[in-house]
Amino acid sequence: MIRHPMRNWLPLGLAALLSVTTPGLARAGADPADWEAVTAEARGQTVYWNAWGGADNVNAFIDWIGQQAQDQYAVTLEHVKLSDTAEAVSRVLAEKGAGKDEGGAIDLVWINGENFASMKRQGLLFGPWSEDLPNWQLTDPAANTALTADFTVPTEGLESPWGMAQLVFYHDTARLPEPPRSMAALSDWAAPNPGRFTYPQPPDFLGSTFLKQALIELTPDPDALSHPVDEADYAAATAPFWDWLDGLTPNLWRQGKAYPQTAQRMIQLMADNEIDIGFEFNPNAASNAIANFQLPDTVRSFVLEGGSLGNASFVAIPYNANAKAGAMVIANLLLSPEAQARMASPDELGFGTVLAMDRLSDAQVRLFDEIPVGIATLTPEELGPTLPEPHPSWMVKLEEDWTARYGVAR
């Protein structure tokens, strides 16, 4: 299972502590342009990688990366398992507030667009560094703009990509041979089939992603979503979306009076024949669930007409990291063809690769050709276009309004 659970904004108290924006970028320490010097400095370092620890396959992959780092560069990797990236960001904020500008406790963070935007704005990131990594040359950022913009915010070398994800739906062909393929069609289908669809409760990342996918399809002004929400006419941009959701909600599972908390719970609802359509932010999710005997082999994946949301997973280095050189070694290992092919296998994580096949050697391409594809995994052509994420401020505003309208506290 691949997920992007690390999504919450910073706690308000800590954000207020450093409410004065600190412009400028930190670039003291190891210079990635001199890779030989980086690897020499990294030797013997311990890298504390703060990353989501909620899935066994993710944890196992990080363990494998750690073994490669030890074997190839004598770098020790410690996986600090998080339930939410805000925990790591809060710690960096607290250290900065205490004047601890060196020797920080966090060396590498698996970060998402919202927290990246916040850390970048407040000068809490080391860099630029990522575009000087040796394996960056194996990517094609001109062809894949998701590698250089995170939720519309330019990365500017401050974070390094390591996996691609895309929103993909799944259905059980034994119960629902032809699923609806647009948000309008979904609502039309749900009306005579009440209780057979739901989505994880925002601010769960996947639930919020579903809201954004619907907003993209339903807004009359898609261009507004690429700008901060306070620069747009929010009411006009979202009115059709809220009307649509108001109509859909009474026909949701449990009439929209309760929601699954996670994507894993939604898979269970599918397996228990409580719902007919599920979705994940991983094109291999259905195949993985079939392989794990969580779903029947009659389940297949599909995407909506016009494309679906997609983005890259990134790692970033805090400005006060203690082992910057070691952290860059880990980021470069994540970009290696060997790690990318292992990661892309449905038996491992099932992430899409960030590498460009035409920049790899024949032997490196074969690593990807040999990856087994599950019966419910769509081909790249079937996946269709990847839609860019709205500016992160839209997710925050949507979640606030969703909670006010439909949340348990209403």
Side-chain angles (χ1 to χ4, degrees):
M1 178 182 67
I2 176 176
R3 299 193 53 215
H4 286 245
M6 302 147 293
R7 44 123 346 261
N8 286 343
W9 281 107
L10 308 175
L12 293 177
L14 284 169
L17 177 68
L18 293 170
S19 58
V20 177
T21 300
T22 307
L25 309 175
R27 182 62 184 269
D31 180 359
D34 187 350
W35 191 244
E36 185 175 350
V38 168
T39 56
E41 183 177 335
R43 189 173 185 83
Q45 287 187 340
T46 296
V47 174
Y48 291 92
W49 182 7
N50 285 233
W52 182 57
D56 291 342
N57 59 344
V58 173
N59 298 340
F61 178 74
I62 291 176
D63 287 346
W64 181 83
I65 287 291
Q67 190 60 56
Q68 305 308 305
Q70 184 63 244
D71 292 346
Q72 298 180 39
Y73 298 99
V75 172
T76 300
L77 176 61
E78 294 288 346
H79 180 189
V80 180
K81 298 175 181 175
L82 305 178
S83 59
D84 195 309
T85 297
E87 301 166 21
V89 181
S90 295
R91 181 156 190 172
V92 177
L93 277 168
E95 289 179 344
K96 183 163 186 174
K100 190 175 180 61
D101 295 327
E102 297 179 350
I106 299 172
D107 299 303
L108 193 67
V109 184
W110 181 5
I111 196 167
N112 75 333
E114 295 168 272
N115 286 313
F116 170 71
S118 177
M119 292 189 76
K120 180 183 179 185
R121 185 173 61 251
Q122 299 187 74
L124 296 175
L125 295 171
F126 167 70
W129 57 274
S130 65
E131 295 178 13
D132 288 324
L133 296 178
N135 286 333
W136 175 258
Q137 301 305 317
L138 302 178
T139 71
D140 186 357
N144 186 357
T145 56
L147 305 184
T148 52
D150 196 355
F151 281 44
T152 74
V153 178
T155 60
E156 297 182 304
L158 296 174
E159 58 180 4
S160 180
W162 65 290
M164 295 294 300
Q166 187 170 346
L167 184 65
V168 172
F169 292 76
Y170 54 84
H171 65 116
D172 189 338
T173 57
R175 303 198 301 262
L176 179 63
E178 292 296 331
R181 295 178 183 270
S182 70
M183 290 300 173
L186 174 63
S187 184
D188 291 343
W189 169 82
N193 297 281
R196 305 301 296 176
F197 178 74
T198 188
Y199 55 91
Q201 180 173 343
D204 172 84
F205 174 83
L206 190 61
S208 298
T209 298
F210 174 75
L211 300 184
K212 290 187 293 183
Q213 174 77 35
L215 176 62
I216 290 172
E217 178 178 322
L218 298 168
T219 183
D221 185 11
D223 290 343
L225 306 183
S226 63
H227 304 288
V229 69
D230 57 6
E231 295 178 5
D233 186 342
Y234 176 80
T238 59
F241 162 77
W242 294 119
D243 288 344
W244 171 83
L245 198 55
D246 284 345
L248 174 66
T249 298
N251 296 319
L252 293 174
W253 177 72
R254 296 190 178 179
Q255 299 177 303
K257 296 177 180 177
Y259 293 83
Q261 296 301 304
T262 64
Q264 195 63 28
R265 172 61 176 146
M266 198 157 56
I267 287 177
Q268 187 61 52
L269 292 177
M270 187 79 167
D272 293 343
N273 193 18
E274 292 199 50
I275 60 175
D276 290 326
I277 299 172
F279 55 90
E280 249 285 17
F281 208 63
N282 175 4
N284 294 299
S287 287
N288 291 348
I290 292 170
N292 295 330
F293 304 103
Q294 295 174 290
L295 290 176
D297 60 8
T298 50
V299 169
R300 294 293 183 272
S301 302
F302 70 101
V303 290
L304 302 183
E305 297 169 351
S308 59
L309 270 173
N311 62 34
S313 289
F314 289 93
V315 290
I317 303 174
Y319 83 104
N320 64 342
N322 185 56
K324 296 183 178 71
M328 284 188 280
V329 164
I330 299 297
N332 193 57
L333 273 173
L334 288 168
L335 284 172
S336 67
E338 293 77 14
Q340 288 284 303
R342 186 182 184 92
M343 175 198 68
S345 171
D347 294 334
E348 297 292 334
L349 300 186
F351 282 35
T353 182
V354 299
L355 302 183
M357 292 298 108
D358 61 358
R359 298 195 176 189
L360 305 184
S361 68
D362 291 344
Q364 291 169 335
V365 170
R366 279 197 294 275
L367 294 174
F368 293 88
D369 290 341
E370 293 170 354
I371 295 173
V373 177
I375 60 174
T377 300
L378 302 175
T379 66
E381 292 76 19
E382 291 171 328
L383 277 174
T386 301
L387 303 178
E389 292 275 3
H391 186 274
S393 56
W394 286 87
M395 177 183 275
V396 175
K397 183 61 173 167
L398 285 180
E399 290 171 348
E400 290 175 350
D401 285 0
W402 185 93
T403 300
R405 289 169 178 260
Y406 311 108
V408 294
R410 71 184 190 279

